[in-house]
Amino acid sequence: MKKLLPLFAAILISANLSATNTLNLMPYPSEVKFGVGKFTVDKSLRISIQGQYNNRLTPNVGRFVQRLSKRTTITLDRDTIITGKPNATFTIAVNRSGIVKLGEDESYRLIIDSSRISLTAETELGAMHGLETILQLLDRNEKEFFLPAIEINDQPRFAWRGLMIDAGRHFIPVDIVKHNIDGMAMVKLNVLHWHLSEDQGFRIECKTFPKLHEMGSNGEYYTQQEVKEVIAYAAERGIRVMPEFDIPGHAAAWMVGYPKLSSGTDTNRIEKYFGGFRPTLNPTERYTYRFLKKFFKEMCALFPDDYMHIGGDENNGLQWNENPKIQAFMKKNGIKNNNELQVYFNAKVLDIITKNGKKMMGWDEIFQPNLPKNIVIHSWRGREYMEQAAKKGYQSVLSAGFYIDLFRPASYHYLNDPLPADTILTDAERRLILGGEATMWAELTNYETEDMRIWPRTAAIAERLWSPSGINDVDDMYRRLNIISIQLEETGLTHIKNREMMMRRLCNSYDVEPLRILLDAVEPREGYKRHGSKPRYNTESPLSRAVDIALPDAPDAIRFRLTLKDYLQIKSQNSYLTLTEMLNQWALCYGRVSNLAANNVALQELLPLASNLTQIANIAQPLLPMIQSGKTITAEEADAIKTQVKELAKPVGELEVAIGESVGMIVDALVMK
Amino acid sequence: MKKLLPLFAAILISANLSATNTLNLMPYPSEVKFGVGKFTVDKSLRISIQGQYNNRLTPNVGRFVQRLSKRTTITLDRDTIITGKPNATFTIAVNRSGIVKLGEDESYRLIIDSSRISLTAETELGAMHGLETILQLLDRNEKEFFLPAIEINDQPRFAWRGLMIDAGRHFIPVDIVKHNIDGMAMVKLNVLHWHLSEDQGFRIECKTFPKLHEMGSNGEYYTQQEVKEVIAYAAERGIRVMPEFDIPGHAAAWMVGYPKLSSGTDTNRIEKYFGGFRPTLNPTERYTYRFLKKFFKEMCALFPDDYMHIGGDENNGLQWNENPKIQAFMKKNGIKNNNELQVYFNAKVLDIITKNGKKMMGWDEIFQPNLPKNIVIHSWRGREYMEQAAKKGYQSVLSAGFYIDLFRPASYHYLNDPLPADTILTDAERRLILGGEATMWAELTNYETEDMRIWPRTAAIAERLWSPSGINDVDDMYRRLNIISIQLEETGLTHIKNREMMMRRLCNSYDVEPLRILLDAVEPREGYKRHGSKPRYNTESPLSRAVDIALPDAPDAIRFRLTLKDYLQIKSQNSYLTLTEMLNQWALCYGRVSNLAANNVALQELLPLASNLTQIANIAQPLLPMIQSGKTITAEEADAIKTQVKELAKPVGELEVAIGESVGMIVDALVMK
């Protein structure tokens, strides 16, 4: 890693920062040199693959051709891929077969001029990244589709670039997992972390202990056949699949079928609500380890990845405190507290995992300094845990700051650099930071909304983990994210289209426009605040209300902010018109939503929110022409307006209007400097 | 059947015709009696299931609750379904376990008053239809979701109500097949006819002859595991799955792996283009029958349905004519022509099918009078073949008129009654008409567009096959179809949302509005005309152009027509405003599409079409106010305008503007009577 840093820095200064403003690449490559001219994409395209490579490359080139064909509407049929180089207009050359494992070479070089495309890579994994870059480079004018002449040299900044899917709290069907793997490949992520067991469900067929999935789920679980298919599907796309079995806490579902695993006498059941629960594996009984030995033997054989995630988080220890036998065991063995008891448990589990040829990973609670150095600490409570581990010589992966379930904007995650310029880590310690993972906990998402909670924000995280650290312009990220989001639909992802479907269902009509205008200007409350609402959410809540369709990045609020910035800088008339138009729409919103809600109980809860939006718009409407005509207001007047707007931007239920800050910018611009 | 007809007639006169104007049911029930009051749907709903029934009912009630919960946004969790009757507000009572086979009792009775819902049925298959009716009855006002007080007695008019999916020409992935099964259940269809082999692909794993799927497809085929899953999925929803293996023609893909089956010496290959092809099974070789014996043994065991469809259509006989051995065989056995040779072949195949315990079905070419009376003739070339078969005492199913691949409007299919009032069939012969099937041939559809080609039109066909023949008001059908179409999205069907996705891809933007306005006013050319376009379509055409997003029922053209009818009848001001607004939008369309296409080669082909739409709108714009103000024109002036409009409504490429007829109605209304 270190060796590359000066190179990155140099390039950043020379070209990249401005480059992102003309290219729509995400993640942005480490080195880009612009050429002159363009390569026309038409039916004469002929692709030749050269060299030594794993046979996963061929289907990837096939899908590349299919997507290119769909997007261009040009029939590029089976004859597009040819053998032999002479007639090829696009040559892919690979040096050796890649292995889908941590640290494999994923670099590629792409050279496009007006007559040829050349894609070279050490392994086909790099070449596959290059294919995605080409699809992002594809441009069009009134006459043709084309690729700009360019030279790109690219490799990842971090080797571990993951997405965690929580299938425990809500089951996520196989086809959705697959679409997400395709989405991951599009933005060069390479680890699917599959959270397979939770208090709310055990989600994978276990042949050794079938009551795990039979009694530990509501019938919604992955068969081993399906798991094998997902692993193969991911491997074909260059993506590792690491399973997580969260123990000793978060394991209530295990004990429904196997109550002997429990540390307590609580009734064992699949949890319906969310939060921390009492059921915890009993770390003092030999039964537990005999069970885990057989269990992990089966699962380690099923999942080929080198790593096995054992969770280890949020054990509240209540059952341990209350169990006299456990207390006696601790006394006898000199175990002073629950933390030490979990260390004891982890050591036993580590032994099992290691004997099955795997390396262990766990949430940061598992960290303590006697562990072997090849384990990986997964930092979720804060980056300090990652840094502590590194200081002690341990590898880690960052998820703190990448919790995409918490309805935070893409910008928040985007700027969460595992190794910021001011990191306290030494060079050697920095090498221990393997990367990061977007973490999609599933309390408030199900099969309908999973995609729209993951995408497009995860593309911004993918860029953080792949691209040089200097690529960090938030506005430009949003500009590109908007474009990438449409391309992500090519994988079957439903992040845009399910939103519209859900609006139609909510409105019972095709005419969802007033609702869309409202929802594109509001955001769900951030963090864990939605869990405070009544009735309390549970695993069977329909998640079909307006708040479930609202996005963490209100699209129109972002558009308004970016347009406003542009207007305040260069006072373009176009921007002024756009802003005026948007304010007008918002000003009409309350009336239109009221009409829509007139015979629809499901929309009633939105009226106060729509009212707030309209009131804010009413406040902002006269201010914009004042800027235009050079009028000013006093600081006191400004404060008064901002207080009013702030009040109206406060949460209503689980939603809040997202344009308050932008209106504040308008107000500030009116104050005489 | 006959016994019910007078009853239907009586009810139609009394209530139903007007009833469809207030209820959004499709297919409309055979008997509806309106009550007073309404049943409020809230979280106090408690459902109890009583009686004897197949256990498929329980998951169906589960899905009913889930859909109700999603639509109402009310959490209706696992406690909604209770055991024991006393606390239930909704009782389902079933008399006996149903069998998913032809002719099973599917009737149900539904009674809703302000405090209770009662659903009774002979079998759970009827009860499941009743659940769908309840979901269609669900209504809302500003305070609550509710069901109207009502009594419904319902049963199907025809026992065979099918949808054929052609997975041969384009492979249709399993999840799409499943969504379509859900859609079928929503509109009370009960047969999935699965067309599994074609010249362009053999689409099912065959264990006896693995080269069938290995060499006869591009790797896209259903595994037997998947087939079993689909059969179980359909059975749970009360739907039969009948496979079709089309022989002796349409079988090119078989011969790639097994050339000995061929009647000729042509090179065997998977066909890439569409149409009729030469490769035909050799009906004179014992090898063929030995092969088919083993083949059908495997497939008859895999598919539990009583029927096996052997295709039998469009054998062009060329290979038979050219093969001296076949000619010699015919001479020796006194077989006079190819038709007789196919009769010979069919008799052999019939023997195989029968010995495997199945009844044979085939396209109408297979019909000849020596066949046993339990076979089924599938009429596709015209209803006369169905009638001929009935006259000879044979059962048949109608698909002529239900070819939904031909881009014909829903109204065309809706009015295609298998037994119209003026049928030439006697009562006894009428009983031989089992029903019909919507037939989705897949030359011009693939995984992205399959759903939007099937739905919502197939719901209109479902009504034709289920409801009394007197339910045939086209305008009201369109009104209800519009509502049902949104509900169909609950199954995961992509018929609405993929359209929007494809527009975004084509426009490379979220702003697809101008394209949507254009596409909602145009239709693909009907029949087989699209196949005349250049370059010729093949199995690898991307099918991502505008014509692939255009619908056989242009939604805005229908809306305009219905609004216009209303306006011409009662001159409502609302209708006038809607019409004016729509014309204004169309008048602006060319300019807006031109802007959209300015940098987009993929949209260039639409400019002449947009121009035509705008010109027609320009012609119509001044006419509407003339009606309003009572002005008139002469018959000659009217003719001149209509000629002009007709010219502009002519096809441009594969599309045509669909508002010409409505503008003609405006013109006619201006002519002094």
Side-chain angles (χ1 to χ4, degrees), chain A residues 70 77-78 140-142 272 446 448 482 485 489 497-498 500 504 506 510 540 542 544 598 601, chain B residues 70 77-78 140-142 272 446 448 482 485 489 497-498 500 504 506 510 540 542 544 598 601:
Chain A
K70 287 260 180 203
D77 62 17
R78 58 189 87 161
R140 63 187 89 184
N141 60 27
E142 78 286 6
K272 181 172 160 180
N446 61 19
E448 284 185 337
N482 222 14
S485 191
E489 290 197 278
K497 56 192 181 184
N498 267 13
E500 297 169 341
R504 283 188 288 271
L506 204 52
Y510 299 88
E540 294 166 47
S544 57
V601 57
Chain B
K70 287 261 182 204
D77 62 18
R78 59 187 86 160
R140 62 186 91 183
N141 60 28
E142 78 285 7
K272 180 171 161 180
N446 62 17
E448 284 185 336
N482 221 14
S485 190
E489 290 197 279
K497 55 192 182 184
N498 267 13
E500 298 169 340
R504 283 187 287 271
L506 204 51
Y510 298 87
E540 294 167 48
S544 57
V601 57

Side-chain angles (χ1 to χ4, degrees), chain B residues 324-550:
Chain B
K325 281 178 80 180
I326 291 177
Q327 292 302 314
F329 178 91
M330 289 168 72
K331 198 168 233 172
K332 186 178 155 201
N333 292 279
I335 295 171
K336 292 192 211 70
N337 52 38
N338 286 340
N339 188 40
E340 283 191 13
L341 183 56
Q342 189 159 345
V343 168
Y344 169 85
F345 174 79
N346 288 345
K348 296 270 204 182
V349 173
L350 174 67
D351 186 52
I352 293 170
I353 302 290
T354 308
K355 283 195 174 128
N356 281 294
K358 305 285 181 186
K359 297 168 193 166
M360 191 171 87
M361 182 161 182
W363 299 105
D364 52 38
E365 284 100 324
I366 72 155
F367 177 63
Q368 52 88 12
N370 298 326
L371 293 163
K373 292 282 152 79
N374 67 356
I375 67 148
V376 176
I377 302 301
H378 198 163
S379 151
W380 76 280
R381 286 178 299 173
R383 66 167 56 236
E384 60 272 28
Y385 293 94
M386 175 188 85
E387 288 160 353
Q388 278 167 25
K391 290 275 173 213
K392 301 278 187 193
Y394 287 88
Q395 296 178 312
S396 58
V397 165
L398 183 67
S399 273
F402 294 137
Y403 265 42
I404 51 176
D405 59 316
L406 298 184
F407 311 105
R408 298 215 159 93
S411 57
Y412 170 85
H413 302 299
Y414 187 60
L415 297 177
N416 182 49
D417 195 328
L419 290 174
D422 60 355
T423 178
I424 58 167
L425 301 180
T426 66
D427 284 357
E429 288 158 8
R430 288 157 80 159
R431 263 178 249 131
L432 297 169
I433 310 305
L434 301 177
E437 277 187 12
T439 323
M440 185 62 228
W441 299 110
E443 284 93 344
L444 297 181
T445 186
N446 62 17
Y447 64 97
E448 284 185 336
T449 54
E450 178 80 357
D451 292 352
M452 83 177 80
R453 293 317 183 199
I454 295 178
W455 304 102
R457 286 181 302 157
T458 294
I461 295 174
E463 175 156 294
R464 178 54 47 238
L465 297 174
W466 176 283
S467 304
S469 60
I471 303 288
N472 57 12
D473 182 306
V474 165
D475 290 352
D476 191 62
M477 177 275 289
Y478 274 118
R479 181 189 66 74
R480 288 177 291 134
L481 199 59
N482 221 14
I483 294 158
I484 295 299
S485 190
I486 292 179
Q487 292 171 11
L488 282 164
E489 290 197 279
E490 289 171 11
T491 63
L493 282 168
T494 59
H495 59 300
I496 303 177
K497 55 192 182 184
N498 267 13
R499 233 183 137 221
E500 298 169 340
M501 176 273 286
M502 291 172 76
M503 288 193 217
R504 283 187 287 271
R505 184 174 57 200
L506 204 51
C507 295
N508 195 28
S509 164
Y510 298 87
D511 180 20
V512 301
E513 188 66 1
L515 179 63
R516 194 196 59 70
I517 289 168
L518 175 63
L519 290 184
D520 281 357
V522 303
E523 291 170 359
R525 295 187 70 184
E526 285 184 25
Y528 294 100
K529 299 222 179 75
R530 285 186 62 194
H531 285 287
S533 67
K534 302 273 175 214
R536 205 173 143 202
Y537 280 104
N538 66 39
T539 54
E540 294 167 48
S541 303
L543 302 180
S544 57
R545 286 161 60 224
V547 66
D548 299 296
I549 316 174

Side-chain angles (χ1 to χ4, degrees), chain A residues 21-35:
Chain A
N21 284 316
T22 57
L23 294 176
N24 300 321
L25 303 176
M26 180 172 275
Y28 201 78
S30 48
E31 185 190 322
V32 175
K33 293 178 196 154
F34 291 88

Side-chain angles (χ1 to χ4, degrees), chain A residues 367 373 388-395 429 432:
Chain A
F367 176 65
K373 291 282 152 77
Q388 278 167 23
K391 290 276 172 212
K392 301 277 187 192
Y394 287 87
Q395 296 178 312
E429 289 158 6
L432 296 169

